Amino acid sequence: MTLQQSAITGEEPDARIPLSTNLAMLCLFDKGETDGAFGPRHLVILGWRLTGPLDLAALQGALDDAVARHEILRTVIVRDDGEPYQKVHPPRSPRLEVVTLAADESRPRDVVVDEFINGVEASTMSVNELPHLRAVIGRFDDKDAVLTLITHHIASDGWSLHVLLRDIAAFYAARRGFGEPGLPPARQYGDYARWQQKDLADPSADLKRAYWREKLKGVEITDIRADRRLTPQTTAVYSVYRFVIGEELTAGTLNLARTMRSSPFMVLLSAFNVLIHKMTGITDLVSSTITSGRVDPSFNDTIGPFFNLVPLRTDLSDCRNFMELVRRTRATCLEAYANELPFGDIAAQAPDLTNTYTRDNGAVCAFQLLQNPAMTEPEVVGDMQYAEVRERYLSCAETSDIPNGVLWGMDMMSNGKIGGTMRFNSKQFDEATMVRMVDDYRRILASGVADPQRPLSAL
């Protein structure tokens, strides 16, 4: 690395950067480079519809600019030299692929776009490939295209991809002659890892640890039974099942949330807890959700794997009705948010919590409402408009992996509906099981929203 390159990265040559707790947690799911957290399918992928003339040379330059701006996109996790650490490499140009999309008048272009993104989500990227970024363009014609950004999950998360797209758009506009990018200074993920070490050494973190020791004493994360057992030799194949909560039920959910001074997530999670209770018979539930993990707003413009798994313990045993469950769920969530720590730190306070992950006949279901920077409306950059592709309805047999279990993702869409995804290991579960769970969930939510005074046993 030259001195000039060192200045670009912001790190001294051969500097060893400590892991964040998130990266350390991903190392626990390290199954080599063919599966698990460091496998070629543990990716984060989003798509945006582009309208207007597309300058591929300017886009390639903007991608290069983004890689130079964000160190984590060119950082490797060294795992074969004693204690793992981060090492930043000089900028390299990411791959930009272009494919032609058939403009078949017999099928809406939105369906073709959905299929195209599904195909990208089934692709692979080696953790050894630098930068941890690739772009694939699908073009209908000179003024209608789809941009997909692919990053490895050790380098980003959903929030990060929105930040990345914003930066690429600003660099693209600048290269097209529409002024300077005007981006805020970028703090690096290595800075975050160092900041986190100091933050977790602060006495306030000990108070939070004490909260979790008491809150999670003697409990495990609740799991559901799988259709098939896993063996140590099993290589995961993740599928995605997509579903929609209609306008009427979405409106009812939002109305109940307002009435109870709760967030929509709290109402949705309450129905999810009822579903898991009915499936397992367990009343003292420990659900898990995924937060943005960005507890310090000064890192909101930083790209990296900030996402955090947070356990939420809610006792349904003497809960009289759905309204009371929403109140309890609200209290559980507010307490957890106020005491949020990285999952590894939380698990260290509750020795039994992760016993669930040692079983081969079950899976943890994480439940999240997507939390990304506000980018719900189309944006204009120079002479082109871009908008995230959020209304997607096609399920897919092969998609990007998660480290373990089943992941529910809920999205409040601008069309007045809630879009949902379930990512599941098809080596463990049949899609029919996922479909049945969603149907039961929709029925429970509808029943609870229609009559919040209804007993849980009648939902």
Side-chain angles (χ1 to χ4, degrees):
M1 186 187 298
T2 67
L3 291 177
Q4 182 179 10
Q5 289 169 331
S6 179
I8 291 173
T9 67
E11 293 291 343
E12 292 298 320
D14 300 321
R16 292 190 175 207
I17 307 171
L19 298 189
S20 68
T21 56
N22 242 28
L23 288 175
M25 181 182 71
L26 290 177
C27 286
L28 297 177
F29 293 96
D30 183 1
K31 300 178 182 177
E33 291 164 9
T34 59
D35 197 11
F38 290 83
R41 292 187 181 275
H42 192 210
L43 310 176
V44 189
I45 300 167
L46 289 177
W48 288 267
R49 193 74 173 265
L50 308 181
T51 305
L54 177 59
D55 183 336
L56 290 176
L59 178 58
Q60 181 68 70
L63 292 166
D64 294 346
D65 294 337
V67 170
R69 174 174 164 84
H70 296 286
E71 290 178 354
I72 190 66
L73 295 176
R74 43 196 168 84
T75 296
V76 297
I77 312 305
V78 181
R79 316 189 310 280
D80 57 359
D81 185 21
E83 184 174 349
Y85 61 92
Q86 301 181 66
K87 183 178 179 180
V88 179
H89 286 251
R92 301 180 191 177
S93 188
R95 280 194 282 164
L96 172 60
E97 303 170 21
V98 181
V99 301
T100 300
L101 300 180
D104 183 353
E105 298 303 324
S106 66
R107 295 196 308 154
R109 288 192 175 187
D110 288 349
V111 174
V112 178
V113 168
D114 205 345
E115 290 178 344
F116 168 69
I117 299 177
N118 270 347
V120 175
E121 288 179 336
S123 64
T124 61
M125 175 190 287
S126 170
V127 73
N128 296 318
E129 179 180 331
L130 288 181
H132 301 296
L133 169 65
R134 186 191 309 157
V136 182
I137 292 281
R139 300 188 79 168
F140 287 107
D141 51 49
D142 290 341
K143 293 188 178 181
D144 188 4
V146 186
L147 167 65
T148 57
L149 296 179
I150 309 163
T151 58
H152 202 284
H153 218 331
I154 67 160
S156 76
D157 53 20
W159 181 300
S160 294
L161 273 193
H162 286 85
V163 173
L164 181 59
L165 191 279
R166 179 207 65 186
D167 291 1
I168 291 170
F171 287 130
Y172 177 85
R175 286 177 173 271
R176 291 278 291 166
F178 290 95
E180 292 299 312
L183 294 169
R187 301 193 71 184
Q188 301 300 334
Y189 192 75
D191 297 330
Y192 167 72
R194 296 184 181 102
W195 171 87
Q196 188 185 54
Q197 285 186 336
K198 295 179 180 179
D199 183 62
L200 293 177
D202 190 88
S204 62
D206 287 332
L207 295 176
K208 294 177 180 178
R209 292 183 183 101
Y211 164 81
W212 290 110
R213 275 196 299 275
E214 182 61 30
K215 184 70 175 180
L216 300 176
K217 186 183 299 182
V219 296
E220 303 174 352
I221 297 178
T222 307
D223 61 344
I224 62 171
R225 294 285 74 77
D227 295 324
R228 287 173 293 279
R229 289 180 178 271
L230 291 177
T231 69
Q233 293 75 37
T234 303
T235 298
V237 177
Y238 273 83
S239 303
V240 61
Y241 172 65
R242 291 191 170 90
F243 60 95
V244 175
I245 304 294
E247 283 186 61
E248 184 176 349
L249 182 50
T250 297
T253 299
L254 297 177
N255 183 61
L256 181 60
R258 284 191 296 268
T259 300
M260 301 195 65
R261 300 175 62 191
S262 299
S263 68
F265 170 75
M266 294 168 185
V267 175
L268 294 170
L269 179 62
S270 298
F272 178 76
N273 279 337
V274 175
L275 172 68
I276 299 301
H277 162 63
K278 289 180 177 293
M279 292 180 67
T280 64
I282 297 172
T283 54
D284 191 1
L285 293 173
V286 182
S287 303
S288 56
T289 191
I290 297 175
T291 69
S292 70
R294 294 173 187 257
V295 294
D296 182 344
S298 70
F299 289 103
N300 280 356
D301 292 310
T302 302
I303 290 176
F306 286 85
F307 67 97
N308 191 31
L309 187 69
V310 178
L312 301 171
R313 183 179 185 179
T314 309
D315 189 358
L316 283 63
S317 58
D318 59 347
C319 201
R320 292 169 298 178
N321 51 46
F322 190 68
M323 180 176 287
E324 185 171 325
L325 176 57
V326 173
R327 290 196 188 99
R328 291 190 186 186
T329 302
R330 178 180 185 275
T332 293
C333 290
L334 293 179
E335 282 185 11
Y337 301 156
N339 291 282
E340 184 169 354
L341 287 172
F343 179 72
D345 242 53
I346 294 173
Q349 314 312 311
D352 298 326
L353 186 68
T354 58
N355 288 347
T356 314
Y357 291 112
T358 66
R359 295 195 280 269
D360 61 5
N361 64 337
V364 170
C365 293
F367 186 89
Q368 71 172 134
L369 187 66
L370 299 181
Q371 305 174 70
N372 295 318
M375 204 180 273
T376 57
E377 299 299 324
E379 303 277 342
V380 175
V381 49
D383 52 359
M384 185 175 62
Q385 175 180 282
Y386 63 94
E388 185 182 355
V389 181
R390 295 173 63 189
E391 293 182 34
R392 299 181 58 196
Y393 306 105
L394 300 181
S395 301
C396 192
E398 288 192 30
T399 191
S400 52
D401 286 359
I402 61 175
N404 191 281
V406 177
L407 177 60
W408 291 58
M410 311 293 275
D411 185 14
M412 308 293 299
M413 298 190 295
S414 58
N415 63 4
K417 302 176 184 178
I418 297 174
T421 61
M422 289 180 73
R423 294 185 186 275
F424 63 97
N425 185 353
S426 60
K427 298 287 187 174
Q428 267 190 307
F429 291 97
D430 297 322
E431 183 178 283
T433 302
M434 303 295 106
V435 173
R436 199 160 49 242
M437 285 181 68
V438 169
D439 289 345
D440 290 344
Y441 175 78
R442 191 184 282 110
R443 186 191 68 251
I444 290 166
L445 179 64
S447 183
V449 166
D451 182 7
Q453 301 287 351
R454 184 171 296 172
L456 299 187
S457 59
L459 295 177

